[in-house]
Amino acid sequence: MLLIPCPWCGPRDEAEFRYGGQAHVAYPEDPAALSDEEWARYLFFRDNPKGRFAERWNHTAGCRRWFNVVRDTATNEWVSA
Amino acid sequence: MAERLSPLARFEPVSTDDLRIAEIPFLTQVNLRVDPKSRAAADIGLALGAPLPTEPNTYASADSDVFWLGPDEWLIVGAGARADLEPRLRAAATGAVEAGRVHVGITDVSAQRTALVVGGPKARDLLAHGCALDLHPRTFGPGRCAQTMLARAQVLLAAREGGEFRVFVRSSFAGYLAAWLLDAAVEYLP
Amino acid sequence: MTSHHRRHRRPGFGGEPLRFRFDGQDYEGLRGDTLASALLANGVRTVATSAALGRPRGIYASWTEEPNAIVQIEHPFPEPMLQATTVELYDGLVATGLTGRGRLSDRPDPARHDAVHAHCDVLVVGAGPAGLAAARAAAGSGARVILADDRPIAGGSLPDTAETVDGVPGAAWASAVAADLAGRPDVRVLSRTSVFGYYDDNYLVAVERRGEWGGQGRARERVWRIRAGRVVLATGAHERPIAFADNDRPGVMLAGAARAYANRYGVLPGRRAVVFTAGDSAYAAARDLASAGVEIAAIVDVRQAPGARWDGAEILSGHVVTGVGGDGAVSSVSVSDGREIQADLLLVSGGWNPVVHLFGQAGGELRYDEGIGSFVPRSARQALEVAGAARGVFSLSGCLEDGAAAGARAAEAAGFRAPPRHPAPRASDDGASDNGASDNGASDNGAPDADEPVAFWLVPSGDYRSHFVDLQRDVTVADVVRATGAGLRSVEHVKRYTTAGTAHDQGKLSGVLTSAIVAHAIGADIAQLGTTTFRAPYMPVSFATLAGRDRGALHDPVRVTSLHDWHVAHGALFENVGQWKRPWYYPRPGEDMEAAVLRECRAVRQSVGAMDASTLGKIDVQGPDAAEFLDRLYTNMMSTLKVGAIRYGVMCRADGMVFDDGTVIRLADDRFLVTTTTGNAAAVLDWMEEWLQTEWPSLRVYCTSVTEHWATVALAGPGSRDVLAGLAPGPAVDAASFPFMTWRDAEVAGIAARVCRISFSGELAYEINVNAWDGLALWEALHATGAVTPYGTETMHVLRAEKGYPIVGQDTDGTVTPADLGMDWVVSKKKAGFIGKRSFARSDTARPDRRHLVGLLPADPDFLLPEGAHLVESSTLPEPPVPTLGHVTSSYRSAALGRTFALALVSGGRERVGERLYVPLGGEPVPVTVTHHVLYDPEGARRDG
């Protein structure tokens, strides 16, 4: 049970959160301008590193805020909130 | 008009030396969304008699209890049926809203949740069976509140004076939560 | 049977006799016994049979490391696969020895199980000397401390040995310290509590055995979920076996275990013993056993020059035990000097392994320590300390000192100032190394003399088929050599190939030994080879315990509406929709489901029915940009909706697939009420918040869930207007004044209500929303008219399917676009952008052979297709794999159509209308005809009544 650092509520049990995948994947400014391949890359492709990973969480059972953290996927250490 | 019915109308309150569990039905509850730095927030605070609490996981008590739910969200709970609470808040915000860019979300959610009081010397122990928060008075004393899980239900939990807690739970989960509390309380009841 | 192996009782172990039965034989033990000590006291040597080879097995150890003595409790409640060494004896216990596999009960466990969350600044695992010293130091700082220990009494190995602390017997010292700690306000001492899992962020899980069987009140076992600021692991050490021929026979026992039976339980595990050792600690065991009355025939010491001296027995230094004699249990011991010594007990000590299981679970890394011939903690990423025998400090005085230091460090790391140290307790072994054994919850052992590092695991032989490495899995040295001979080099691979270490003792005794044998076999350095990965649980935990009170009615929340009690009182059967209980149908006496649903359907199509629709998700969307926001979320236009009007909408994910549908009500220029499907209420609100917070923070919109604030009743059927008019005299309800897809505020039966003209059945219909407190009053007023038939979700499904309305999640599955559903009309061509729009231009979403929602009419109008059934092209099936054209998503019997029908997703379905397809169901494929998906009132003539 990870203890996830919610920037608002402080550390809370993982069970209160929903995982949001890779952070900093912005919705394209103008989807219509993208090729099918570029659009598919936005929809379906995400990084999956062993090590530091910037990811999103939503504190669904608490303040319902989305936030980004960097977690080491090999050790589950919170590198930065 | 036929009688109103609260979600735990059939719940038998518990009242022993160690533990008290009872529903507080029909509280007027309004959900407020507003930028805490805005004039609207200040005006609403004035109308409520206390500024909106901006420290996470705390609540303020004045005319009503104002619980911090998120950085731009509060639950305002008036004692009993206070049909004027929502219009009063809306009126308080109107000036600022009409003046400029600020917007508010003011929503009557009175029947969305019901409230339980969990009190007595064993209240903290009882809640610990299903709540992962540290409820020690050092970290969760009077004036603290938190949205969290109690058993498998989302709740708004608030600590009050005298080791008493308020548990706000979504109405559809209230029966489950009450049954769970009674089950978890077995060892604390005679 | 007399307890002829019972020597004496130690103080504190009571004396109350307890009756028990084992393998059909009645015995007597004493309170404080384990089943194992009671069996030994009664002279029972063979307790179980090995799983794979059927060899007789005795009691090998004295606590959770036991690999052999696996029993089943039969009474009072069947419990499989327990270690006789950890079962506390109670009156009336009935048990049997097992052959590697237990039997689960076929009745529900009447006992209660419990769970609780706990928090502390410092958690100390193990109440041996190191753990007690650590807890005392930490508690003195004012930190909140939990001390968890798996034994019934504190002290770890102290009660197993004759050690003294501060001049009093170690066990008494430990009890006093534990009692003092337990009396402090912010200290919790948990006995009989095994910490079995160490998870991320210092989250540890323990099980407390509370010793009540089937009682109404107390839970028998309690799971503790502990979040600790800092952890001190004082988990002790396990004595190491040695692999030699027939080392699994009853009568072969760890030396420290035999010492524990004598000292802790006052039980002699045999009459005449040979000691086989690679270190000094076995000498202390021999001394204690001798003074308890066991004759020590000889000490076989593998070392040429043992550090320890004892003149109580002949010492055969530089020798090994080559085998044991006897038919079943040990009756003699063969030594490498050729002698065969008569003995009924062979005590083994290959050294000591620190109990690093929890440390390993915490992600800690180990290093090999030459001095003790085992693995010790090196570095940890979690906030923890390791103290005492768990990190290779084996002397009692060393453990006391190490524990106190670790406890102080932990408290300081948690932000507390440790007080000046107590003067270190005076241990009887000061300056010596001599101690007893135990494990998680214990600590401190005798160890090989530091002067002569010895790691001795294997007695060489030409035949390794009875040199056991893992007693519980019946894995021998020969099996390990076969694995390495097959080319395996990693201990992880050897573990999986041989199953060594996979039994329910989790390889406590066999783990390091296996590594050593592998190293020996392939000529590698054990330090490089390492150990296998340590995983939770440290010891077996029952599923009932893990389930706690999340079983039966509390297994998962049951969500109900404000009308639920009425539904129950009126005989409704319920359907689970997510966590909701929804009325499924209301059978009348003598009706089966089919009859009830046909009747309810007829009522709605011909007169008027009412359904509890309160479970629909409802979200209040407010703000000046609310209309713009909804335009971006929905595929169709919402900003053009007029105040007072309602529009149906579909939401897609960015991939263009249907995510949810529902209605949007415009309450004001800057305010909408959005409804969602029952199952998606939370997901849609999350979805809205996600876009508002992460992509569109400039939109001035707030969303608030009001799902449970409102009770919603669907009133449907040609008679619904009259019923409403009768209860709501206020507004005009004729079709012109109250048109389809508009809403009004009104008083219905004296209750403030929002009435929407929405239909999910194709009939004239209203949705009446009131404050949930008033829901029952509204519902009862509707039924008091005598005109209204209550209907459930099954009828709702039939009615909507007749109209071809899809249910998201039933007729869609995350691969279906609005166009696939035949709902091109709901996708705006005008809007600049909305979520999913770009995906509709992907080549894949434009394929002509995509699966379309169509209707199906079975050739036999009485045949009901099973939902999920596949559709194929021809009546004769080709060889598998059979290409499928799609599948049936909904299938019902229709009162209105007078026949069965179905909805299906069919490849290129709209081009197949009129075609005959087949549904293979095992026998002759069932012929069906593809139709348009709207089967009833396709002109929509009925919605205005």
Side-chain angles (χ1 to χ4, degrees):
Chain A
M1 182 72 72
L2 298 176
L3 192 65
I4 299 177
C6 171
W8 297 101
C9 300
R12 293 286 187 94
D13 275 12
E14 184 183 351
E16 295 192 2
F17 295 82
R18 186 160 75 80
Y19 187 58
Q22 184 175 355
H24 311 303
V25 181
Y27 189 69
E29 197 70 37
D30 181 8
L34 301 184
S35 69
D36 271 11
E37 195 188 324
E38 288 165 332
W39 179 244
R41 191 150 284 281
Y42 162 73
L43 286 179
F44 304 123
F45 288 74
R46 294 295 183 271
D47 295 340
N48 185 22
K50 179 179 181 179
R52 290 181 177 207
F53 188 45
E55 61 190 15
R56 307 187 310 154
W57 289 87
N58 184 13
H59 191 189
T60 46
C63 64
R64 302 197 292 130
R65 295 303 100 179
W66 283 90
F67 58 94
N68 295 338
V69 288
V70 177
R71 180 176 59 103
D72 187 313
T73 59
T75 63
N76 278 338
E77 282 168 297
W78 304 104
V79 180
S80 73
Chain B
M1 191 175 114
E3 211 178 316
R4 296 186 307 178
L5 206 65
S6 72
L8 293 175
R10 290 188 301 122
F11 177 75
E12 288 281 345
V14 170
S15 183
T16 69
D17 290 347
D18 284 334
L19 209 53
R20 280 174 287 112
I21 309 173
E23 185 189 23
I24 311 169
F26 307 127
L27 292 172
T28 301
Q29 301 173 52
V30 175
N31 191 280
L32 170 67
R33 304 283 306 263
V34 65
D35 179 350
K37 296 186 290 291
S38 68
R39 199 189 112 199
D43 290 349
I44 290 169
L46 279 177
L48 289 169
L52 300 174
T54 52
E55 188 190 339
N57 295 299
T58 63
Y59 68 94
S61 297
D63 168 69
S64 310
D65 287 335
V66 185
F67 298 93
W68 184 95
L69 299 183
D72 62 3
E73 186 168 16
W74 292 264
L75 183 70
I76 300 162
V77 180
R82 295 280 302 273
D84 66 329
L85 186 58
E86 186 202 350
R88 204 150 55 85
L89 294 171
R90 204 168 275 289
T94 300
V97 168
E98 284 175 355
R101 296 271 309 160
V102 66
H103 65 294
V104 295
I106 296 173
T107 313
D108 178 15
V109 291
S110 298
Q112 174 85 344
R113 299 179 183 87
T114 193
L116 284 151
V117 56
V118 179
K122 294 294 185 192
R124 207 173 289 273
D125 290 339
L126 171 62
L127 295 173
H129 287 279
C131 178
L133 292 188
D134 185 358
L135 301 177
H136 193 278
R138 269 187 213 168
T139 56
F140 202 79
R144 308 291 307 184
C145 67
Q147 292 184 92
T148 186
M149 303 296 292
L150 180 55
R152 293 177 184 270
Q154 282 185 28
V155 295
L156 168 63
L157 184 67
R160 301 175 77 87
E161 295 296 336
E164 186 182 291
F165 295 87
R166 285 280 159 87
V167 181
F168 293 86
V169 61
R170 295 277 287 261
S171 298
S172 67
F173 286 92
Y176 158 79
L177 189 67
W180 184 91
L181 282 167
L182 288 182
D183 192 74
V186 162
E187 296 192 16
Y188 308 116
L189 297 177
Chain C
M1 185 175 279
T2 56
S3 298
H4 56 278
H5 288 265
R6 181 78 65 182
R7 183 175 60 94
H8 64 279
R9 302 307 303 173
R10 282 177 60 99
F13 280 82
E16 183 197 343
L18 304 171
R19 287 164 298 109
F20 71 103
R21 176 176 290 187
F22 183 75
D23 280 347
Q25 185 87 37
D26 289 320
Y27 299 104
E28 201 175 274
L30 295 173
R31 186 164 300 282
D33 268 330
T34 60
L35 178 57
S37 71
L39 288 169
L40 287 170
N42 284 283
V44 178
R45 308 185 70 197
T46 299
V47 171
T49 310
S50 79
L53 302 173
R55 292 167 69 98
R57 292 286 164 80
I59 291 162
Y60 194 83
S62 66
W63 192 238
T64 57
E65 68 275 32
E66 173 63 41
N68 272 348
I70 306 302
V71 301
Q72 163 114 14
I73 291 184
E74 309 284 0
H75 183 81
F77 185 79
E79 278 269 295
M81 294 296 282
L82 299 175
Q83 292 159 304
T85 50
T86 61
V87 173
E88 286 185 54
L89 197 67
Y90 48 86
D91 204 43
L93 179 133
V94 178
T96 50
L98 286 177
T99 308
R101 196 159 71 175
R103 279 164 282 109
L104 287 169
S105 171
D106 55 6
R107 54 197 160 96
D109 188 343
R112 296 176 63 89
H113 296 83
D114 188 20
V116 67
H117 296 271
H119 300 259
C120 59
D121 300 307
V122 178
L123 167 67
V124 179
V125 184
L132 286 168
R136 189 157 69 168
S141 73
R144 290 161 66 194
V145 175
I146 295 176
L147 171 62
D149 185 88
D150 63 356
R151 294 275 202 171
I153 59 165
S157 63
L158 286 170
D160 298 339
T161 72
E163 302 291 338
T164 65
V165 182
D166 285 343
V168 299
W173 174 83
S175 299
V177 174
D180 170 59
L181 287 168
R184 303 194 196 187
D186 271 327
V187 179
R188 192 191 291 273
V189 177
L190 297 170
S191 61
R192 294 186 172 90
T193 302
S194 308
V195 178
F196 66 80
Y198 195 141
Y199 302 92
D200 288 310
D201 296 319
N202 266 11
Y203 189 72
L204 293 92
V205 184
V207 59
E208 179 189 10
R209 292 172 298 281
R210 306 167 81 230
E212 295 275 324
W213 282 87
Q216 283 305 301
R218 277 167 63 85
R220 180 155 61 88
E221 294 195 327
R222 168 177 287 174
V223 171
W224 288 83
R225 309 182 194 282
I226 304 168
R227 188 73 77 172
R230 201 89 190 163
V231 173
V232 178
L233 295 175
T235 47
H238 290 146
E239 199 162 22
R240 197 155 57 217
I242 298 173
F244 57 89
D246 294 325
N247 59 337
D248 65 326
R249 292 286 190 83
V252 179
M253 183 181 281
L254 293 171
R259 188 185 190 192
Y261 285 115
N263 286 323
R264 184 186 284 260
Y265 301 105
V267 167
L268 305 187
R271 289 295 182 198
R272 182 175 157 88
V274 171
V275 179
F276 179 24
T277 185
D280 289 351
S281 68
Y283 288 76
R287 269 197 299 269
D288 284 4
L289 286 161
S291 66
V294 177
E295 183 188 348
I296 306 297
I299 296 180
V300 181
D301 195 321
V302 301
R303 299 172 295 181
Q304 293 294 344
R309 297 274 181 275
W310 187 47
D311 53 12
E314 183 183 5
I315 297 177
L316 307 174
S317 51
H319 281 286
V320 294
V321 168
T322 55
V324 297
D327 186 19
V330 172
S331 64
S332 67
V333 175
S334 305
V335 184
S336 53
D337 64 0
R339 274 196 283 178
E340 185 173 334
I341 303 170
Q342 297 304 303
D344 62 354
L345 191 60
L346 172 56
L347 304 182
V348 178
S349 179
W352 294 85
N353 294 328
V355 176
V356 292
H357 297 62
L358 292 176
F359 177 81
Q361 288 178 28
E365 287 180 19
L366 302 174
R367 67 174 175 82
Y368 186 74
D369 183 326
E370 293 282 350
I372 63 167
S374 192
F375 293 91
V376 294
R378 181 171 61 190
S379 60
R381 63 165 190 265
Q382 299 231 36
L384 63 81
E385 317 281 338
V386 186
R391 67 178 197 95
V393 175
F394 290 136
S395 74
L396 176 54
S397 52
C399 285
L400 291 166
E401 206 151 299
D402 201 42
R409 276 198 311 277
E412 275 163 23
F416 294 83
R417 182 187 288 273
R421 295 264 294 278
H422 287 273
R426 212 160 24 78
S428 52
D429 75 334
D430 275 354
S433 84
D434 172 15
N435 218 326
S438 195
D439 64 291
N440 175 9
S443 106
D444 322 323
N445 310 282
D449 191 304
D451 298 341
E452 189 185 358
V454 165
F456 188 84
W457 289 291
L458 175 66
V459 174
S461 165
D463 179 357
Y464 284 127
R465 285 176 301 174
S466 71
H467 285 50
F468 284 88
V469 176
D470 185 327
L471 293 154
Q472 204 177 357
R473 280 289 189 220
D474 272 344
V475 176
T476 65
V477 173
D479 295 325
V480 174
V481 169
R482 189 176 310 119
T484 57
L488 304 182
R489 290 294 179 272
S490 146
V491 287
E492 297 282 10
H493 292 158
V494 171
K495 172 178 175 174
R496 283 149 186 82
Y497 189 88
T498 63
T499 73
T502 62
H504 90 314
D505 64 1
Q506 289 278 290
K508 290 186 182 66
L509 298 183
S510 62
V512 176
L513 184 58
T514 304
S515 290
I517 304 296
V518 172
H520 176 82
I522 64 175
D525 180 358
I526 186 174
Q528 302 303 315
L529 216 50
T531 66
T532 54
T533 304
F534 297 96
R535 294 192 178 87
Y538 172 73
M539 32 70 71
V541 185
S542 79
F543 280 110
T545 300
L546 292 174
R549 58 171 43 82
D550 294 342
R551 55 189 278 194
L554 298 178
H555 173 251
D556 198 40
V558 170
R559 299 180 69 182
V560 298
T561 73
S562 57
L563 309 180
H564 185 75
D565 289 351
W566 190 97
H567 303 318
V568 172
H570 289 76
L573 297 180
F574 290 88
E575 180 182 27
N576 294 327
V577 183
Q579 293 171 319
W580 289 97
K581 291 278 178 206
R582 299 196 67 182
W584 196 12
Y585 58 99
Y586 301 79
R588 288 181 178 165
E591 275 185 344
D592 60 8
M593 176 172 176
E594 187 181 317
V597 171
L598 287 172
R599 172 181 54 73
E600 291 175 12
C601 286
R602 269 194 302 273
V604 176
R605 292 266 182 246
Q606 292 169 15
S607 58
V608 58
M611 184 186 72
D612 182 356
S614 306
T615 60
L616 288 178
K618 303 167 202 76
I619 301 167
D620 193 311
V621 181
Q622 293 180 43
D625 297 324
E628 165 70 16
F629 175 57
L630 296 180
D631 272 352
R632 296 187 195 181
L633 284 185
Y634 284 94
T635 59
N636 49 339
M637 194 80 92
M638 292 299 172
S639 52
T640 54
L641 192 61
K642 294 194 166 42
V643 174
I646 303 171
R647 190 165 288 162
Y648 171 80
V650 169
M651 277 184 204
C652 292
R653 299 274 189 189
D655 64 5
M657 303 303 149
V658 172
F659 160 46
D660 201 62
D661 71 343
T663 55
V664 175
I665 296 169
R666 190 157 202 169
L667 300 173
D669 274 342
D670 59 354
R671 191 169 184 189
F672 296 80
L673 186 83
V674 165
T675 68
T676 75
T677 58
T678 295
N680 265 345
V684 171
L685 182 62
D686 284 353
W687 182 242
M688 291 177 164
E689 284 291 347
E690 179 174 352
W691 286 95
L692 284 174
Q693 290 178 35
T694 68
E695 292 290 347
W696 306 326
S698 63
L699 284 187
R700 295 164 299 162
V701 182
Y702 288 124
C703 304
T704 304
S705 169
V706 289
T707 297
E708 287 150 82
H709 178 68
W710 297 99
T712 304
V713 176
L715 189 68
S720 57
R721 180 175 289 132
D722 290 342
V723 171
L724 181 66
L727 291 172
V733 294
D734 61 278
S737 316
F738 192 177
F740 186 55
M741 295 306 257
T742 62
W743 63 272
R744 300 281 180 275
D745 279 334
E747 274 206 356
V748 181
I751 302 162
R754 178 181 296 147
V755 184
C756 304
R757 254 203 74 191
I758 298 172
S759 177
F760 198 43
S761 57
E763 300 297 328
L764 172 70
Y766 303 88
E767 276 183 12
I768 308 170
N769 297 278
V770 297
N771 180 306
W773 300 334
D774 300 318
L776 185 62
L778 170 71
W779 182 258
E780 286 186 330
L782 290 171
H783 285 87
T785 63
V788 174
T789 300
Y791 68 96
T793 52
E794 187 67 15
T795 291
M796 178 266 281
H797 275 243
V798 176
L799 298 174
R800 65 86 200 174
E802 290 169 349
K803 287 290 294 176
Y805 299 149
I807 297 265
V808 171
Q810 174 165 342
D811 301 297
T812 71
D813 60 4
T815 67
V816 179
T817 66
D820 296 340
L821 295 173
M823 297 192 344
D824 268 324
W825 53 268
V826 88
V827 179
S828 168
K829 311 291 180 290
K830 286 182 263 175
K831 282 196 294 183
F834 57 85
I835 296 169
K837 182 180 171 80
R838 173 64 184 83
S839 290
F840 298 142
R842 291 180 66 224
S843 55
D844 185 64
T845 42
R847 277 188 297 114
D849 64 342
R850 288 188 66 81
R851 290 181 177 182
H852 301 150
L853 187 72
V854 293
L856 296 178
L857 294 175
D860 173 358
D862 207 36
F863 189 87
L864 188 67
L865 293 166
E867 290 172 355
H870 279 256
L871 290 142
V872 298
E873 195 87 61
S874 78
S875 62
T876 48
L877 292 181
E879 284 301 303
V882 179
T884 178
L885 295 175
H887 67 279
V888 175
T889 58
S890 296
S891 176
Y892 308 102
R893 218 173 270 285
S894 165
L897 303 175
R899 55 161 303 137
T900 59
F901 73 105
L903 297 177
L905 287 167
V906 176
S907 177
R910 281 195 289 276
E911 317 311 319
R912 293 180 186 270
V913 169
E915 268 183 39
R916 171 143 295 192
L917 297 177
Y918 297 87
V919 180
L921 293 170
E924 194 71 7
V926 175
V928 298
T929 303
V930 178
T931 72
H932 190 265
H933 61 283
V934 182
L935 287 159
Y936 183 74
D937 184 28
E939 309 78 28
R942 302 185 60 84
R943 69 162 202 227
D944 288 325

